[in-house]
Amino acid sequence: MFNLLVSGHGEWWETPPLTIAVDRFKEYSGVEADAIDLAQPETLRRLEGIPTLLMYEVGAGGPHARVVRHGQLRDIVRRGRDLSFTFEPDAQRAYLDRALVLALADQLGIGQFEQHRTHWAIKDGELPPGLLETATAERVQRTVRVVAGEYVAARREGNRREARELQEELEDFPPSLEKALSLLPARILNSPTPELYPILGVEPRTPEGRNALVAVLARDEANADLPADWSYSLAWFLDLYGSPTEAARLDAAVERCAGHMIGLGGADLAAAGSVEEIGYTLWRSARSPLLVGRLRRELAVLTDRLVRRQENHGFWTEARDGHRTRRASHSICHSGVAATG
């Protein structure tokens, strides 16, 4: 027999006094609860010697909503319409992750609806030993990395409810580089982006690398919301992660890059691409040894276009809509970096 107390208030179990309404007592309980009777206060003493879980409802807010406490109750007393008690955490196994508890919901006798109901249940049986092995003496800090990892796992498993809760928790963390990097796996789930896989340490010619290849090719086939420089990303990615099987796809991506370069490098300077467009295309191509090797002529034409526009002092001048604009050389590099953000 063990106690399960659930609260819908995300801070309810954080500070005493701890109470729960009498009319919620013994809801969703097992047959062993029949021996406990509020009309016989002495029977409440039996609940002070058994394992107890203090949990928050699924959907409850607050920084500790996903923490489940493990320990024992003490000093259970009825005070009007409430039951008052104290809680003594287990010295070595005081804290559990709610997701791990709910993963064993069937073994614990926790129904789906009671996960969303404030109540005090007296359950039959014992806590599974495997569950307590995951408990910790100290509360695990809910860092952005921890929360983001759980969010990605929930997304992969298709657990929408869990993912929704974790997304709300993530919103409480301020923007940071750590947060952005931690959410890269989730971003890849939405939009497989070639450049992100190396950042995450996914190596070519591995099972993970093959999964990345399949995801990127599926996005290419869908042809929906692809960025303007997708062909350059795809060619670079297929060169690194692809195999002879994808040779035709690689050739097609290279041809699209060539066509784009030809358009930018038109003989008529007024009709050719802007300095920023040409500079960015050269930068993207320079990242791919394959493109550098196979599109030498196109790259030479674009380089010539930049040289012909450059003044002696290092500025580029171009005419757009009847106006002449002067740009410093460093601005070309800056525009290329910013375009990849």
Side-chain angles (χ1 to χ4, degrees):
M1 185 167 64
F2 64 92
N3 295 305
L4 172 68
L5 284 76
V6 182
S7 174
H9 190 298
E11 299 288 337
W12 199 254
W13 306 132
E14 304 308 312
T15 56
L18 303 181
T19 63
I20 200 162
V22 167
D23 59 2
R24 301 294 181 91
F25 182 60
K26 293 177 58 173
E27 286 189 358
Y28 303 102
S29 294
V31 296
E32 293 182 84
D34 294 342
I36 310 299
D37 188 350
L38 289 178
Q40 302 177 50
E42 66 276 8
T43 63
L44 296 176
R45 302 286 78 78
R46 295 185 57 186
L47 301 181
E48 297 180 5
I50 62 176
T52 296
L53 298 179
L54 300 185
M55 189 171 79
Y56 290 110
E57 288 183 25
V58 172
H64 310 301
R66 299 175 61 82
V67 176
V68 178
R69 290 162 173 76
H70 168 244
Q72 292 186 339
L73 302 181
R74 296 284 185 260
D75 306 318
I76 303 173
V77 178
R78 179 170 183 173
R79 301 186 186 282
R81 300 176 62 180
D82 292 327
L83 285 169
S84 174
F85 52 88
T86 60
F87 178 75
E88 182 179 294
D90 187 282
Q92 301 300 322
R93 300 171 296 182
Y95 299 99
L96 293 155
D97 187 284
R98 190 182 63 192
L100 298 178
V101 173
L102 295 182
L104 300 175
D106 291 341
Q107 296 182 47
L108 294 167
I110 303 175
Q112 181 70 27
F113 185 76
E114 66 175 304
Q115 298 174 23
H116 305 265
R117 171 80 170 174
T118 296
H119 68 288
W120 179 339
I122 304 169
K123 300 292 188 180
D124 295 337
E126 299 179 353
L127 296 176
L131 174 63
L132 295 182
E133 289 175 2
T134 69
T136 58
E138 301 292 334
R139 182 158 49 196
V140 177
Q141 185 178 5
R142 301 286 293 173
T143 64
V144 65
R145 189 178 298 276
V146 169
V147 178
E150 293 177 0
Y151 172 68
V152 173
R155 288 286 308 279
R156 284 203 182 103
E157 296 166 2
N159 191 332
R160 295 182 180 179
R161 182 188 66 189
E162 187 87 357
R164 209 164 36 241
E165 289 183 23
L166 290 164
Q167 185 175 15
E168 293 175 357
E169 188 175 355
L170 281 169
E171 291 172 356
D172 293 334
F173 291 96
S176 66
L177 178 60
E178 182 183 19
K179 182 177 181 179
L181 291 174
S182 299
L183 288 174
L184 285 184
R187 180 178 171 186
I188 283 180
L189 289 177
N190 281 335
S191 300
T193 303
E195 289 81 2
L196 297 184
Y197 290 101
I199 295 175
L200 293 173
V202 176
E203 298 289 341
R205 281 82 181 173
T206 64
E208 294 79 8
R210 187 65 195 178
N211 291 337
L213 180 64
V214 170
V216 169
L217 291 179
R219 184 182 178 189
D220 181 58
E221 290 175 356
N223 195 30
D225 299 324
L226 295 178
D229 58 352
W230 176 256
S231 296
Y232 295 90
S233 295
L234 184 62
W236 169 81
F237 183 77
L238 290 177
D239 183 35
L240 288 177
Y241 287 78
S243 68
T245 304
E246 291 78 40
R249 302 286 289 273
L250 175 58
D251 290 341
V254 173
E255 287 300 316
R256 288 195 295 271
C257 292
H260 178 252
M261 291 182 187
I262 292 171
L264 289 177
D268 183 0
L269 290 181
S274 69
V275 171
E276 286 87 350
E277 290 172 327
I278 293 175
Y280 177 64
T281 299
L282 289 172
W283 177 79
R284 286 304 311 266
S285 302
R287 297 176 64 240
S288 171
L290 175 81
L291 290 178
V292 171
R294 292 179 59 172
L295 301 179
R296 292 180 182 275
R297 179 175 178 178
E298 290 81 358
L299 290 170
V301 170
L302 290 184
T303 303
D304 176 70
R305 295 297 179 266
L306 282 185
V307 171
R308 290 166 61 186
R309 293 184 185 182
Q310 190 172 27
E311 298 180 354
N312 292 334
H313 297 292
F315 292 94
W316 277 271
T317 301
E318 61 180 339
R320 293 292 177 190
D321 300 325
H323 301 282
R324 298 191 68 80
T325 304
R326 172 177 284 188
R327 302 192 184 282
S329 58
H330 70 82
S331 69
I332 306 302
C333 298
H334 178 75
S335 67
V337 174
T340 63

